[in-house]
């Protein structure tokens, strides 16, 4: 009776494990194209070998079978996490792609795998869309003819497949130079993308003069330095990229998830898909000094970090053009501002915790529709708040300054 049970357990383990591997293989064909398939086959062979070596008629072999099952599931977990884990952790995806750029997905996936950055496929698709999305049939869809890497076609790339190969390789070098950990590492991702547009010198310039923190101001300063009076590269390249990419809902950016030295999102999950104006974009002839996020009237607005309310304007509907607004001091030289509120839920001098509701989205002041205008001040200078949300950049800033 025991040997029959052991045989049955072994056969069940083999069927379940192999069946799971086959399902992962099917998913991997669309998700990672090259890498997951080979790993799944290796996992299948590994589990098959383990179950084959277990004596099916030996009652004492039952623990070995259980061990084989355990090993098989661990291998499957590794396959799954390797194939999909990095993609899930970043929660980012390319958006607004046209059919031409979408048709490059398989090729981009292949070269991203070859160059060791498989988790950046969605970023690369968005990068391609940002570069040549408006063109019908470009010969150089990644616009990398001037990269100096196209040795096979040094006078200009004319083969789209070769452009993809060189473009992906060029971007992989920027990722490695910045030390970008994943597509969710916003600051280093933005540095890598800006360097794709302006060259590696931008990374060195940013590290030397801006403490390694990307910003539109940094990009403009480098453009001015290199342009000698004319514009060099595109200082607003990240804004161009973000029209084609969304980070989605990043774990750790919702109320209460970070301490006072980090910023959580000031709005509920899904806010990133509703950004209508990034910091630095031109507004009424001058650079926009905050980030606008379109949301329905009455949507709760959250304190991005612990702090003391220094302004709680709930009476002047114009309020310096901000309408009803709240300003919070989080640390010496660190403040956030939340404008165009329909109503204010805090009072002057009140101490708030990260994630507390401080007001509600509206359209008071100089506003043409319901949205939150969100600002971050460092040493009384308004900076782009986007890279600081859900990251440790603010903590690093405080450690460096104080």
């Amino acid at each position: 009776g025991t040997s029959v049970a052991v045989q049955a357990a072994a056969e069940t383990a083999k069927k379940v494990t192999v069946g799971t591997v086959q399902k992962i293989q099917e998913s991997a064909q669309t998700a990672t194209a090259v890498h997951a398939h080979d790993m799944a086959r290796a996992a299948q062979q590994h589990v098959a070998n383990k179950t084959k070596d277990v004596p099916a008629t030996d009652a004492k072999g039952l623990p070995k079978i259980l061990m084989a099952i355990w090993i098989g599931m661990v291998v499957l977990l590794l396959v799954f996490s390797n194939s999909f884990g990095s993609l899930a952790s970043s929660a980012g995806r390319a958006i607004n792609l046209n059919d031409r750029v979408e048709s490059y997905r398989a090729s981009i996936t292949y070269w991203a795998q070859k160059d060791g950055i498989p988790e950046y496929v969605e970023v690369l698709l968005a990068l391609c869309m940002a570069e040549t999305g408006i063109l019908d049939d470009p010969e150089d869809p990644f616009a990398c003819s001037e990269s100096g890497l196209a040795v096979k076609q040094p006078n200009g790339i004319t083969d789209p497949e070769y452009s993809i190969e060189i473009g992906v390789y060029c971007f992989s070098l920027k990722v490695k130079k910045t030390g970008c950990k994943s597509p969710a590492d916003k600051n280093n991702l933005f540095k890598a993308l800006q360097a794709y547009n302006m060259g590696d010198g931008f990374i060195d310039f940013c590290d030397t003069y801006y403490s390694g923190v990307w910003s539109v101001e940094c990009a403009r300063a480098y453009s001015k330095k290199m342009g000698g009076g004319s514009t060099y590269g595109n200082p607003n390249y990240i804004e161009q990229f973000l029209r084609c990419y969304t980070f989605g809902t990043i774990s750790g950016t919702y109320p209460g998830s970070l301490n006072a030295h980090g910023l959580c999102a000031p709005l509920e999950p899904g806010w990133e898909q509703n950004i209508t104006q990034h910091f630095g974009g031109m507004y009424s002839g001058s650079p926009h000094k905050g980030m606008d996020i379109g949301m329905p009237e009455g949507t709760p607005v959250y304190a991005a970090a612990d702090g003391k309310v220094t302004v709680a304007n709930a009476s002047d509907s114009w309020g310096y053009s901000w309408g009803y607004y709240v300003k919070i001091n989080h640390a010496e030289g660190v403040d956030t501002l939340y404008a165009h509120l329909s109503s204010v839920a805090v009072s002057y001098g009140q101490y708030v915790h990260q994630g507390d509701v401080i007001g509600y989205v509206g359209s008071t002041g100089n506003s043409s529709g319901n949205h939150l205008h969100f600002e971050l001040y460092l040493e009384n200078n308004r900076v782009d708040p986007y890279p600081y949300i859900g990251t440790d950049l603010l903590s690093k800033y405080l450690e460096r300054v104080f």
Side-chain angles (χ1 to χ4, degrees):
T2 304
S3 62
V4 172
V6 171
Q7 270 187 321
E11 191 63 24
T12 300
K14 185 175 180 180
K15 288 180 179 179
V16 170
T17 306
V18 171
T20 306
V21 172
Q22 290 172 342
K23 288 181 180 180
I24 290 177
Q25 287 177 329
E26 292 170 1
S27 298
Q29 289 176 357
T30 57
T32 56
V34 181
H35 189 54
H37 179 74
D38 294 336
M39 286 192 67
R41 288 188 62 187
Q44 183 179 2
Q45 186 61 50
H46 178 80
V47 175
N49 290 339
K50 287 292 181 182
T51 53
K52 180 179 66 177
D53 293 340
V54 178
T57 57
D58 183 3
K60 295 181 180 179
L62 184 58
K64 293 183 180 180
I65 292 175
L66 296 177
M67 180 62 73
I69 296 173
W70 181 82
I71 291 173
M73 296 312 294
V74 168
V75 172
L76 289 173
L77 181 61
L78 289 172
V79 173
F80 186 85
S81 63
N82 190 74
S83 302
F84 309 107
S86 58
L87 196 61
S89 66
S90 70
R93 60 185 178 85
I95 57 175
N96 301 322
L97 301 182
N98 59 25
D99 291 341
R100 174 179 62 77
V101 174
E102 185 62 49
S103 72
Y104 297 147
R105 182 178 290 274
S107 182
I108 289 173
T109 300
Y110 174 79
W111 289 111
Q113 172 60 35
K114 293 282 284 185
D115 292 328
I117 55 169
E119 66 270 40
Y120 290 86
V121 168
E122 295 292 322
V123 171
L124 288 161
L125 284 163
L127 187 157
C128 182
M129 185 67 192
E131 287 285 352
T132 62
I134 62 173
L135 303 179
D136 292 330
D137 190 24
E139 296 178 327
D140 183 13
F142 268 79
C144 52
S145 291
E146 298 179 3
S147 66
L149 300 172
V151 293
K152 293 180 181 178
Q153 297 180 9
N155 298 319
I157 295 177
T158 57
D159 176 12
E161 179 64 28
Y162 187 54
S163 174
I164 295 171
E165 176 186 349
I166 298 302
V168 173
Y169 176 63
C170 180
F171 181 70
S172 75
L173 297 180
K174 316 306 180 192
V175 167
K176 292 167 186 175
K177 183 175 176 65
T178 60
C180 191
K181 298 179 179 64
S182 76
D185 182 0
K186 290 182 186 177
N187 182 63
N188 285 322
L189 176 65
F190 291 168
K191 284 169 63 178
L193 288 164
Q194 195 74 63
Y196 187 89
N197 175 255
M198 291 181 163
D200 281 7
F202 172 78
I203 299 172
D204 299 327
F205 180 84
C206 182
D207 290 345
T208 301
Y209 298 103
Y210 287 80
S211 301
V213 178
W214 173 90
S215 67
V216 175
E217 287 89 349
C218 176
R220 285 178 178 155
Y222 185 70
S223 175
K224 183 177 180 180
K225 174 180 180 291
M226 298 298 292
S230 60
T231 301
Y232 176 85
N234 181 5
N236 295 315
Y237 190 71
I238 300 306
E239 181 181 1
Q240 181 174 319
F241 167 79
L242 288 172
R243 296 193 190 107
C244 312
Y245 189 83
T246 177
F247 286 93
T249 302
I250 300 175
S251 176
T253 64
Y254 200 47
S257 59
L258 299 173
N259 62 30
H261 284 181
L263 294 185
C264 74
L267 293 165
E268 60 193 23
W271 64 273
E272 288 184 281
Q273 300 177 36
N274 295 307
I275 297 175
T276 56
Q277 180 83 33
H278 282 276
F279 182 92
M282 298 306 291
Y283 177 76
S284 298
S286 60
H288 190 234
K289 292 299 184 179
M291 181 170 64
D292 288 348
I293 309 163
M295 285 288 185
E297 181 179 4
T299 300
V301 176
Y302 306 104
D306 294 0
K308 182 179 180 180
V309 176
T310 55
V311 179
N313 174 42
S315 58
D316 182 357
S317 61
W318 181 249
Y320 302 104
S321 81
W322 286 320
Y324 298 146
Y325 74 99
V326 171
K327 191 172 184 179
I328 303 173
N329 174 246
H330 305 288
E332 186 178 350
V334 180
D335 304 87
T336 53
L337 183 142
Y338 314 76
H340 306 307
L341 305 176
S342 60
S343 62
V344 172
V346 292
S347 56
Y348 172 78
Q350 180 179 342
Y351 188 85
V352 295
H353 294 285
Q354 186 175 61
D356 286 351
V357 175
I358 59 172
Y360 300 90
V361 171
S363 186
T364 55
N366 185 16
S367 170
S368 59
N370 293 311
H371 73 285
L372 173 68
H373 175 82
F374 180 55
E375 295 185 353
L376 171 63
Y377 294 74
L378 299 180
E379 301 300 306
N380 292 319
N381 294 311
R382 286 181 284 186
V383 302
D384 187 358
Y386 194 73
Y388 291 85
I389 298 175
T391 71
D392 62 354
L393 278 183
L394 187 55
S395 178
K396 290 180 178 178
Y397 169 82
L398 291 171
E399 291 173 359
R400 184 172 64 251
V401 174
F402 303 108

